[in-house]
Amino acid sequence: MAGGRQTRTTWCSRCGAYLSVQPGARSVRCALCHAVTRVEHHGGLHQAVGFIKGLFNAFGSPSQPPPSSSGSMRVGDPYRLPASYPHARGKKRALLVGISYSFTKYELKGTVNDVNCMTYLLRERFGFPTDCILVLTQEDKDPYRVPNKDNLRLAMRWLVEGCTSGDSLVFHFSGHGMQKLDSNGDEVDGYDEAICPLDFEDRGVILDDEINETIVRPLGPGVKLHAIVDTCHSGTILDLPYLCRISRTGYWQWENHNRQPDTPKGTSGGLAISFSGCGDSQTSADTTAFAGSTSTGAMTYSFIKAVESDPGTTYGRLLNAMRATIRDNGGDSGIPGPIGSFFRRVITFSCAQEPQLCASEAFDIYRKPFLL
Protein backbone atom coordinates (compact mmCIF):
# COMPACT_ATOMS: atom_id res chain seq x y z
CA MET A 1 0.00 0.00 0.00
CA ALA A 2 1.29 3.46 -0.87
CA GLY A 3 -0.31 6.73 0.15
CA GLY A 4 -3.43 4.89 1.32
CA ARG A 5 -3.99 3.24 -2.05
CA GLN A 6 -3.87 -0.52 -2.41
CA THR A 7 -2.07 -2.54 -5.07
CA ARG A 8 -4.70 -3.84 -7.50
CA THR A 9 -4.81 -6.97 -9.61
CA THR A 10 -5.84 -7.71 -13.17
CA TRP A 11 -5.32 -10.36 -15.84
CA CYS A 12 -3.08 -10.20 -18.91
CA SER A 13 -5.12 -9.37 -22.02
CA ARG A 14 -3.04 -11.81 -24.09
CA CYS A 15 -2.22 -14.88 -21.99
CA GLY A 16 -4.53 -14.42 -19.00
CA ALA A 17 -1.74 -14.41 -16.38
CA TYR A 18 -2.42 -12.86 -12.97
CA LEU A 19 -0.85 -9.38 -12.74
CA SER A 20 -0.28 -6.90 -9.90
CA VAL A 21 -0.94 -3.24 -10.71
CA GLN A 22 0.85 -0.51 -8.80
CA PRO A 23 -1.28 2.39 -7.51
CA GLY A 24 -1.84 4.98 -10.23
CA ALA A 25 -0.52 2.83 -13.08
CA ARG A 26 -2.40 3.08 -16.38
CA SER A 27 -0.93 -0.11 -17.83
CA VAL A 28 1.08 -3.16 -16.78
CA ARG A 29 3.46 -5.41 -18.74
CA CYS A 30 3.11 -9.18 -18.39
CA ALA A 31 6.30 -10.93 -17.26
CA LEU A 32 5.34 -14.07 -19.21
CA CYS A 33 4.26 -12.91 -22.68
CA HIS A 34 5.41 -9.24 -22.39
CA ALA A 35 2.06 -7.91 -23.59
CA VAL A 36 0.91 -4.56 -22.20
CA THR A 37 -2.56 -4.50 -20.60
CA ARG A 38 -4.41 -1.23 -20.05
CA VAL A 39 -5.83 -0.62 -16.58
CA GLU A 40 -9.16 1.09 -15.96
CA HIS A 41 -9.47 3.05 -12.70
CA HIS A 42 -13.19 3.73 -12.72
CA GLY A 43 -14.61 0.23 -12.73
CA GLY A 44 -14.05 -3.48 -13.05
CA LEU A 45 -15.44 -3.93 -16.58
CA HIS A 46 -12.07 -3.67 -18.29
CA GLN A 47 -10.56 -6.14 -15.84
CA ALA A 48 -13.31 -8.67 -16.58
CA VAL A 49 -12.95 -8.17 -20.33
CA GLY A 50 -9.16 -8.53 -20.05
CA PHE A 51 -9.56 -11.78 -18.12
CA ILE A 52 -11.98 -13.23 -20.68
CA LYS A 53 -9.80 -12.10 -23.56
CA GLY A 54 -6.73 -13.60 -21.91
CA LEU A 55 -8.46 -16.93 -21.48
CA PHE A 56 -9.70 -16.72 -25.06
CA ASN A 57 -6.15 -16.23 -26.37
CA ALA A 58 -4.65 -18.83 -24.05
CA PHE A 59 -7.14 -21.62 -24.61
CA GLY A 60 -8.61 -21.11 -28.08
CA SER A 61 -11.94 -20.09 -29.53
CA PRO A 62 -15.29 -21.50 -28.40
CA SER A 63 -15.73 -23.20 -31.76
CA GLN A 64 -12.79 -25.52 -31.18
CA PRO A 65 -13.48 -29.08 -29.98
CA PRO A 66 -12.28 -30.32 -26.56
CA PRO A 67 -8.72 -31.65 -26.26
CA SER A 68 -7.98 -35.20 -27.25
CA SER A 69 -5.98 -37.59 -25.10
CA SER A 70 -2.93 -36.82 -27.21
CA GLY A 71 -3.13 -33.16 -26.17
CA SER A 72 -3.23 -31.89 -29.76
CA MET A 73 -6.48 -29.90 -29.35
CA ARG A 74 -7.25 -27.06 -26.99
CA VAL A 75 -9.83 -26.44 -24.32
CA GLY A 76 -13.03 -25.25 -25.93
CA ASP A 77 -14.87 -22.68 -23.81
CA PRO A 78 -12.56 -19.97 -22.41
CA TYR A 79 -15.35 -18.24 -20.44
CA ARG A 80 -15.85 -20.87 -17.74
CA LEU A 81 -14.25 -23.90 -16.16
CA PRO A 82 -15.26 -27.30 -17.58
CA ALA A 83 -18.47 -28.66 -16.10
CA SER A 84 -16.61 -31.82 -15.07
CA TYR A 85 -14.29 -29.91 -12.71
CA PRO A 86 -15.35 -29.99 -9.03
CA HIS A 87 -17.83 -27.24 -8.19
CA ALA A 88 -17.50 -27.53 -4.41
CA ARG A 89 -15.56 -24.61 -2.94
CA GLY A 90 -14.60 -26.07 0.43
CA LYS A 91 -11.90 -24.70 2.69
CA LYS A 92 -9.65 -27.57 1.57
CA ARG A 93 -8.98 -28.00 -2.15
CA ALA A 94 -6.37 -30.01 -4.09
CA LEU A 95 -5.06 -30.40 -7.64
CA LEU A 96 -3.23 -33.70 -8.22
CA VAL A 97 -1.44 -34.36 -11.51
CA GLY A 98 0.20 -37.63 -12.58
CA ILE A 99 1.63 -37.91 -16.11
CA SER A 100 2.87 -41.27 -17.39
CA TYR A 101 3.83 -40.11 -20.94
CA SER A 102 2.65 -43.50 -22.18
CA PHE A 103 3.96 -44.78 -25.50
CA THR A 104 6.83 -42.27 -25.56
CA LYS A 105 10.53 -42.64 -24.76
CA TYR A 106 9.90 -40.61 -21.58
CA GLU A 107 7.34 -43.05 -20.12
CA LEU A 108 7.05 -43.21 -16.33
CA LYS A 109 5.50 -46.18 -14.56
CA GLY A 110 4.39 -44.90 -11.14
CA THR A 111 2.94 -41.42 -11.51
CA VAL A 112 -0.71 -42.47 -11.44
CA ASN A 113 -0.01 -44.51 -8.31
CA ASP A 114 1.53 -41.37 -6.77
CA VAL A 115 -1.69 -39.46 -7.41
CA ASN A 116 -3.84 -42.28 -6.01
CA CYS A 117 -1.77 -42.41 -2.84
CA MET A 118 -1.82 -38.62 -2.40
CA THR A 119 -5.59 -38.64 -2.86
CA TYR A 120 -5.92 -41.27 -0.15
CA LEU A 121 -3.59 -39.37 2.20
CA LEU A 122 -5.43 -36.08 1.77
CA ARG A 123 -8.84 -37.68 2.30
CA GLU A 124 -8.02 -40.01 5.18
CA ARG A 125 -5.37 -38.08 7.09
CA PHE A 126 -6.20 -34.42 6.42
CA GLY A 127 -9.93 -34.45 5.72
CA PHE A 128 -9.95 -33.14 2.15
CA PRO A 129 -13.42 -33.77 0.67
CA THR A 130 -13.45 -35.99 -2.41
CA ASP A 131 -15.51 -33.40 -4.31
CA CYS A 132 -12.81 -30.77 -3.69
CA ILE A 133 -9.99 -32.80 -5.29
CA LEU A 134 -9.27 -32.43 -9.01
CA VAL A 135 -7.15 -35.21 -10.56
CA LEU A 136 -5.51 -35.03 -13.99
CA THR A 137 -4.04 -38.21 -15.49
CA GLN A 138 -3.39 -39.41 -19.02
CA GLU A 139 -5.64 -42.39 -18.39
CA ASP A 140 -8.75 -40.29 -17.63
CA LYS A 141 -11.61 -40.58 -20.12
CA ASP A 142 -12.64 -36.94 -19.59
CA PRO A 143 -10.74 -34.88 -22.22
CA TYR A 144 -10.60 -31.91 -19.82
CA ARG A 145 -8.78 -34.03 -17.21
CA VAL A 146 -5.97 -35.10 -19.52
CA PRO A 147 -2.82 -33.28 -18.32
CA ASN A 148 -1.91 -31.44 -21.51
CA LYS A 149 -0.64 -27.87 -21.33
CA ASP A 150 -3.99 -26.13 -21.72
CA ASN A 151 -5.74 -28.30 -19.15
CA LEU A 152 -2.88 -27.87 -16.65
CA ARG A 153 -3.16 -24.10 -16.96
CA LEU A 154 -6.91 -24.26 -16.53
CA ALA A 155 -6.68 -26.62 -13.54
CA MET A 156 -4.17 -24.39 -11.76
CA ARG A 157 -6.62 -21.49 -12.11
CA TRP A 158 -9.38 -23.72 -10.73
CA LEU A 159 -7.21 -24.38 -7.66
CA VAL A 160 -6.89 -20.73 -6.63
CA GLU A 161 -10.13 -19.29 -8.03
CA GLY A 162 -12.19 -17.62 -5.32
CA CYS A 163 -9.83 -18.62 -2.49
CA THR A 164 -10.46 -16.78 0.80
CA SER A 165 -8.94 -16.58 4.27
CA GLY A 166 -8.73 -19.98 5.94
CA ASP A 167 -8.44 -21.94 2.69
CA SER A 168 -5.84 -24.72 2.47
CA LEU A 169 -4.75 -25.61 -1.08
CA VAL A 170 -2.55 -28.47 -2.29
CA PHE A 171 -0.81 -28.85 -5.65
CA HIS A 172 0.81 -32.23 -6.33
CA PHE A 173 2.64 -32.96 -9.58
CA SER A 174 4.29 -36.25 -10.49
CA GLY A 175 5.99 -36.31 -13.87
CA HIS A 176 8.98 -34.93 -15.72
CA GLY A 177 10.70 -31.60 -15.17
CA MET A 178 13.51 -29.76 -16.92
CA GLN A 179 15.53 -26.56 -16.98
CA LYS A 180 15.58 -23.81 -19.61
CA LEU A 181 17.85 -20.80 -19.92
CA ASP A 182 16.47 -17.86 -17.94
CA SER A 183 15.33 -15.11 -20.29
CA ASN A 184 14.49 -12.34 -17.81
CA GLY A 185 17.36 -12.47 -15.31
CA ASP A 186 15.33 -13.47 -12.25
CA GLU A 187 17.07 -16.81 -11.57
CA VAL A 188 20.10 -17.12 -9.29
CA ASP A 189 21.52 -20.04 -11.30
CA GLY A 190 20.59 -18.62 -14.72
CA TYR A 191 17.97 -21.28 -15.44
CA ASP A 192 14.19 -21.44 -15.21
CA GLU A 193 12.71 -24.65 -13.88
CA ALA A 194 9.72 -26.16 -15.68
CA ILE A 195 7.18 -28.97 -15.53
CA CYS A 196 6.47 -31.04 -18.63
CA PRO A 197 2.82 -31.42 -19.64
CA LEU A 198 1.79 -34.49 -21.62
CA ASP A 199 2.19 -32.57 -24.89
CA PHE A 200 5.41 -30.73 -23.97
CA GLU A 201 7.24 -31.87 -27.12
CA ASP A 202 4.65 -30.08 -29.28
CA ARG A 203 3.37 -27.31 -27.02
CA GLY A 204 6.34 -26.66 -24.74
CA VAL A 205 6.76 -26.69 -20.97
CA ILE A 206 5.24 -24.59 -18.19
CA LEU A 207 7.91 -22.39 -16.62
CA ASP A 208 8.24 -21.64 -12.92
CA ASP A 209 7.50 -17.97 -13.74
CA GLU A 210 4.04 -18.92 -14.97
CA ILE A 211 3.39 -21.32 -12.08
CA ASN A 212 4.27 -18.52 -9.65
CA GLU A 213 1.99 -16.04 -11.42
CA THR A 214 -0.90 -18.52 -11.52
CA ILE A 215 -0.99 -20.23 -8.10
CA VAL A 216 1.29 -18.18 -5.83
CA ARG A 217 0.65 -14.49 -6.52
CA PRO A 218 -3.18 -14.69 -6.14
CA LEU A 219 -2.96 -16.07 -2.55
CA GLY A 220 -4.48 -13.46 -0.26
CA PRO A 221 -4.19 -13.11 3.54
CA GLY A 222 -5.05 -16.29 5.41
CA VAL A 223 -4.75 -18.55 2.35
CA LYS A 224 -2.21 -21.39 2.48
CA LEU A 225 -0.77 -23.41 -0.41
CA HIS A 226 1.39 -26.52 -0.18
CA ALA A 227 3.01 -27.88 -3.34
CA ILE A 228 4.51 -31.38 -3.52
CA VAL A 229 6.38 -31.63 -6.81
CA ASP A 230 7.95 -34.97 -7.72
CA THR A 231 10.15 -34.21 -10.74
CA CYS A 232 13.78 -33.62 -11.55
CA HIS A 233 15.03 -30.00 -11.58
CA SER A 234 12.24 -29.09 -9.18
CA GLY A 235 14.04 -27.35 -6.31
CA THR A 236 12.55 -23.89 -6.92
CA ILE A 237 9.73 -24.94 -9.24
CA LEU A 238 7.25 -22.46 -7.73
CA ASP A 239 9.81 -19.64 -8.02
CA LEU A 240 9.35 -18.82 -4.33
CA PRO A 241 11.73 -16.25 -2.85
CA TYR A 242 13.21 -18.43 -0.07
CA LEU A 243 15.06 -21.76 -0.32
CA CYS A 244 15.94 -23.61 2.88
CA ARG A 245 19.53 -24.87 3.10
CA ILE A 246 19.83 -27.62 5.69
CA SER A 247 22.80 -29.80 6.59
CA ARG A 248 22.70 -33.42 7.71
CA THR A 249 23.52 -32.22 11.23
CA GLY A 250 20.35 -30.13 11.27
CA TYR A 251 21.83 -26.66 10.77
CA TRP A 252 19.59 -24.59 8.52
CA GLN A 253 19.19 -21.15 6.99
CA TRP A 254 16.96 -19.49 4.41
CA GLU A 255 18.54 -18.35 1.17
CA ASN A 256 16.94 -15.37 -0.60
CA HIS A 257 16.42 -16.21 -4.28
CA ASN A 258 14.60 -13.03 -5.26
CA ARG A 259 17.15 -11.38 -7.54
CA GLN A 260 14.77 -8.64 -8.70
CA PRO A 261 13.05 -6.85 -5.79
CA ASP A 262 10.90 -4.95 -8.29
CA THR A 263 9.47 -8.28 -9.50
CA PRO A 264 8.16 -9.90 -6.31
CA LYS A 265 7.77 -13.68 -6.29
CA GLY A 266 5.74 -13.96 -3.10
CA THR A 267 2.02 -14.08 -2.42
CA SER A 268 -0.53 -11.30 -1.97
CA GLY A 269 -0.54 -11.86 1.79
CA GLY A 270 -0.94 -15.63 1.96
CA LEU A 271 1.59 -18.41 2.53
CA ALA A 272 3.07 -20.74 -0.11
CA ILE A 273 5.35 -23.67 0.77
CA SER A 274 6.78 -26.27 -1.60
CA PHE A 275 8.42 -29.66 -1.14
CA SER A 276 10.25 -30.73 -4.28
CA GLY A 277 11.93 -33.93 -5.34
CA CYS A 278 15.48 -32.65 -5.84
CA GLY A 279 17.66 -29.60 -6.32
CA ASP A 280 17.54 -27.35 -9.38
CA SER A 281 21.04 -28.41 -10.46
CA GLN A 282 20.32 -32.14 -10.49
CA THR A 283 20.18 -33.37 -14.08
CA SER A 284 17.97 -36.06 -15.51
CA ALA A 285 20.94 -38.40 -15.34
CA ASP A 286 21.21 -37.84 -11.58
CA THR A 287 17.59 -38.85 -11.02
CA THR A 288 17.63 -41.27 -14.00
CA ALA A 289 14.17 -39.97 -14.94
CA PHE A 290 14.97 -39.78 -18.64
CA ALA A 291 17.32 -42.77 -18.68
CA GLY A 292 14.97 -45.70 -18.29
CA SER A 293 15.51 -46.63 -14.63
CA THR A 294 13.22 -44.00 -13.26
CA SER A 295 13.35 -42.79 -9.67
CA THR A 296 10.09 -40.91 -9.96
CA GLY A 297 7.87 -41.56 -6.96
CA ALA A 298 10.68 -41.72 -4.41
CA MET A 299 9.88 -38.20 -3.22
CA THR A 300 6.13 -38.87 -3.00
CA TYR A 301 6.83 -42.06 -1.05
CA SER A 302 9.24 -40.32 1.34
CA PHE A 303 6.75 -37.49 1.92
CA ILE A 304 3.87 -39.85 2.78
CA LYS A 305 6.10 -42.00 4.97
CA ALA A 306 7.38 -38.95 6.90
CA VAL A 307 3.86 -37.61 7.46
CA GLU A 308 2.50 -40.98 8.61
CA SER A 309 5.47 -41.84 10.82
CA ASP A 310 5.47 -38.57 12.77
CA PRO A 311 2.01 -36.98 13.14
CA GLY A 312 2.26 -33.39 14.33
CA THR A 313 5.72 -33.01 12.84
CA THR A 314 7.42 -29.72 12.01
CA TYR A 315 8.64 -28.69 8.56
CA GLY A 316 12.26 -29.28 9.60
CA ARG A 317 11.65 -32.78 10.94
CA LEU A 318 9.55 -33.64 7.91
CA LEU A 319 12.27 -32.57 5.47
CA ASN A 320 14.97 -34.47 7.40
CA ALA A 321 12.82 -37.61 7.48
CA MET A 322 12.21 -37.41 3.73
CA ARG A 323 15.92 -37.07 3.01
CA ALA A 324 16.77 -39.95 5.33
CA THR A 325 14.27 -42.20 3.54
CA ILE A 326 15.83 -41.34 0.18
CA ARG A 327 19.38 -41.96 1.47
CA ASP A 328 18.33 -45.29 3.01
CA ASN A 329 16.66 -46.49 -0.20
CA GLY A 330 13.24 -46.39 1.41
CA GLY A 331 14.31 -47.35 4.92
CA ASP A 332 14.00 -50.64 6.74
CA SER A 333 10.28 -50.28 7.36
CA GLY A 334 7.52 -49.05 5.10
CA ILE A 335 4.71 -46.59 5.70
CA PRO A 336 2.81 -47.55 8.86
CA GLY A 337 -0.92 -48.07 9.17
CA PRO A 338 -3.67 -48.41 6.55
CA ILE A 339 -2.09 -45.86 4.23
CA GLY A 340 1.01 -48.07 4.12
CA SER A 341 -1.18 -50.98 3.07
CA PHE A 342 -2.70 -48.82 0.36
CA PHE A 343 0.73 -47.78 -0.99
CA ARG A 344 1.51 -50.60 -3.46
CA ARG A 345 4.19 -49.81 -6.01
CA VAL A 346 7.82 -50.59 -6.92
CA ILE A 347 10.17 -47.64 -6.39
CA THR A 348 13.74 -47.22 -7.55
CA PHE A 349 15.48 -44.72 -5.27
CA SER A 350 18.29 -42.42 -6.34
CA CYS A 351 20.61 -41.37 -3.53
CA ALA A 352 21.57 -38.29 -5.53
CA GLN A 353 18.00 -37.07 -5.12
CA GLU A 354 17.57 -34.69 -2.16
CA PRO A 355 14.16 -33.15 -1.41
CA GLN A 356 14.05 -29.36 -1.05
CA LEU A 357 11.92 -26.91 0.93
CA CYS A 358 10.97 -23.44 -0.38
CA ALA A 359 8.59 -20.81 0.98
CA SER A 360 7.15 -17.39 0.30
CA GLU A 361 8.38 -16.21 3.69
CA ALA A 362 11.07 -17.27 6.15
CA PHE A 363 10.10 -19.11 9.36
CA ASP A 364 11.61 -21.38 12.02
CA ILE A 365 11.41 -24.80 10.39
CA TYR A 366 11.77 -26.65 13.73
CA ARG A 367 9.03 -24.67 15.47
CA LYS A 368 6.41 -24.29 12.76
CA PRO A 369 4.10 -27.34 12.73
CA PHE A 370 3.29 -28.96 9.40
CA LEU A 371 -0.42 -28.54 8.73
CA LEU A 372 -2.46 -29.03 5.56
Side-chain angles (χ1 to χ4, degrees):
M1 183 179 295
R5 293 180 294 176
Q6 292 184 338
T7 298
R8 301 173 56 212
T9 60
T10 188
W11 301 87
C12 175
S13 60
R14 176 184 293 174
C15 71
Y18 174 90
L19 304 174
S20 294
V21 182
Q22 295 302 314
R26 294 182 177 274
S27 64
V28 59
R29 183 179 294 276
C30 177
L32 301 178
C33 70
H34 307 296
V36 175
T37 299
R38 291 178 56 198
V39 179
E40 290 286 343
H41 292 279
H42 56 271
L45 178 61
H46 183 78
Q47 181 173 347
V49 171
F51 172 62
I52 292 172
K53 184 179 177 183
L55 287 179
F56 183 90
N57 291 330
F59 299 119
S61 67
S63 62
Q64 290 177 308
S68 67
S69 60
S70 65
S72 60
M73 297 182 182
R74 298 187 176 190
V75 172
D77 189 351
Y79 301 103
R80 60 181 173 81
L81 293 171
S84 60
Y85 281 16
H87 295 286
R89 312 308 286 176
K91 303 304 288 183
K92 294 189 173 187
R93 195 182 316 162
L95 168 61
L96 313 179
V97 183
I99 311 181
S100 53
Y101 311 93
S102 299
F103 311 111
T104 74
K105 62 182 178 181
Y106 308 114
E107 184 169 2
L108 297 174
K109 298 296 186 183
T111 54
V112 175
N113 287 335
D114 288 343
V115 166
N116 291 338
C117 292
M118 283 298 299
T119 301
Y120 191 86
L121 177 76
L122 293 178
R123 285 201 327 255
E124 302 300 320
R125 174 61 63 189
F126 295 104
F128 278 66
T130 301
D131 58 1
C132 291
I133 299 175
L134 174 59
V135 176
L136 303 187
T137 66
Q138 187 175 347
E139 288 71 17
D140 203 297
K141 302 299 183 182
D142 182 348
Y144 289 100
R145 293 181 181 237
V146 173
N148 57 40
K149 188 173 185 178
D150 289 329
N151 286 346
L152 266 173
R153 284 172 161 172
L154 197 60
M156 287 192 292
R157 293 175 192 222
W158 168 87
L159 180 64
V160 300
E161 183 185 71
C163 59
T164 59
S165 180
D167 286 357
S168 176
L169 314 177
V170 171
F171 173 58
H172 173 250
F173 181 90
S174 182
H176 281 310
M178 64 170 59
Q179 286 185 307
K180 295 179 72 71
L181 282 173
D182 175 28
S183 60
N184 59 4
D186 67 338
E187 297 286 346
V188 172
D189 60 358
Y191 290 91
D192 282 311
E193 285 66 51
I195 57 176
C196 299
L198 174 61
D199 54 351
F200 75 96
E201 288 186 289
D202 298 323
R203 298 290 313 286
V205 298
I206 299 179
L207 295 178
D208 52 4
D209 294 333
E210 179 175 351
I211 298 172
N212 182 278
E213 288 280 351
T214 306
I215 65 173
V216 174
R217 297 298 304 282
L219 303 177
V223 180
K224 178 171 56 178
L225 167 72
H226 285 87
I228 301 98
V229 183
D230 199 345
T231 75
C232 56
H233 301 300
S234 56
T236 59
I237 193 64
L238 262 63
D239 227 7
L240 297 173
Y242 295 100
L243 170 67
C244 186
R245 296 293 188 187
I246 182 170
S247 69
R248 293 191 181 186
T249 60
Y251 175 76
W252 62 277
Q253 64 178 3
W254 289 103
E255 218 173 63
N256 192 334
H257 276 233
N258 190 4
R259 290 191 62 191
Q260 299 176 342
D262 294 337
T263 308
K265 294 293 186 179
T267 67
S268 296
L271 175 64
I273 297 173
S274 73
F275 289 97
S276 49
C278 57
D280 289 341
S281 62
Q282 288 185 293
T283 65
S284 57
D286 288 335
T287 60
T288 64
F290 282 77
S293 178
T294 177
S295 61
T296 186
M299 184 268 183
T300 299
Y301 177 90
S302 68
F303 174 80
I304 294 176
K305 182 180 179 183
V307 169
E308 285 298 296
S309 299
D310 188 9
T313 188
T314 64
Y315 287 89
R317 294 208 312 269
L318 181 62
L319 183 62
N320 283 328
M322 291 170 63
R323 292 183 172 185
T325 297
I326 298 289
R327 287 195 301 267
D328 297 340
N329 292 316
D332 295 330
S333 59
I335 299 171
I339 291 181
S341 300
F342 181 79
F343 206 108
R344 291 289 184 264
R345 59 167 296 176
V346 176
I347 299 174
T348 301
F349 286 86
S350 169
C351 292
Q353 186 175 343
E354 191 165 68
Q356 305 292 319
L357 172 67
C358 292
S360 58
E361 61 186 51
F363 56 83
D364 189 330
I365 65 172
Y366 289 113
R367 290 183 179 273
K368 190 175 184 66
F370 170 76
L371 296 171
L372 289 184

